[in-house]
Amino acid sequence: MHISDKRSPWQDEFNIPTLDDLRIDLPLPSAELFDTTRSFLLSNENILEEMRWYGDCWFWTISYYLKSENTDDDLPIAVIIPAPDNLQVAAPLDREFLEQLNTRRMKRAVRDGIDLAAEPYSTQWAVWPVNAKNLLEDLISLLKQRLSWLQGT
């Protein structure tokens, strides 16, 4: 096996990576956006962070859950997909949340990600590439709305 054939920790299903393993393969601008996203998600004391394997589509993710008594079957609030060439954030958005959401003032890139979770698609997952700080700020705003909605505030 050549060194270049070595599989990235992000893609190695059989070994749970550390946060450093996932972060080290990211280019510097993406690593900084990764850190900002994690900091925001962990700033809420009701959020748990864990590594989660999502198969050959997303590989290892850092998944964020609301603390509750039945966390086994809960969907995450959001996941960070630390793809070395395309850092992404994904979030399951249910129809009730989408119906009350005002998307008119959102940037097109944010709306495009939300569209993936709406009709006619059969998934509830919204996905965004995180390639700029101003886009991340808009995503954080959306995730704050989602958290407030889930917590009934």
Side-chain angles (χ1 to χ4, degrees), residues 30-49:
S30 294
E32 291 170 352
L33 295 168
F34 173 87
D35 293 342
T36 302
T37 305
R38 280 192 68 236
S39 293
F40 159 70
L41 289 163
L42 293 173
S43 68
N44 185 315
E45 64 186 32
N46 294 321
I47 300 283
L48 297 171
E49 176 183 69

Side-chain angles (χ1 to χ4, degrees), residues 47-110:
I47 300 283
L48 297 171
E49 176 183 69
E50 75 176 45
M51 293 291 173
R52 180 70 55 99
W53 177 257
Y54 271 92
D56 288 339
C57 179
W58 290 344
F59 302 104
W60 283 105
T61 69
I62 302 96
S63 300
Y64 298 87
Y65 296 85
L66 267 179
K67 290 180 186 174
S68 70
E69 294 175 17
N70 59 342
T71 54
D72 293 340
D73 54 13
D74 287 349
L75 284 171
I77 300 300
V79 299
I80 299 174
I81 305 158
D85 60 344
N86 186 17
L87 178 67
Q88 298 174 54
V89 171
L93 303 178
D94 41 34
R95 302 288 186 234
E96 296 83 21
F97 176 71
L98 290 173
E99 288 170 4
Q100 61 84 41
L101 196 58
N102 182 357
T103 59
R104 277 183 262 147
R105 292 187 170 191
M106 292 181 182
K107 288 187 174 108
R108 180 163 177 85
V110 176

Side-chain angles (χ1 to χ4, degrees), residues 13-25:
E13 176 181 5
F14 303 105
N15 295 295
I16 300 172
T18 65
L19 288 167
D20 287 340
D21 291 338
L22 296 176
R23 190 183 184 284
I24 202 157
D25 285 340

Side-chain angles (χ1 to χ4, degrees), residues 126-137:
V127 183
W128 303 272
V130 180
N131 50 20
K133 188 172 172 92
N134 62 349
L135 175 63
L136 182 57
E137 290 168 357

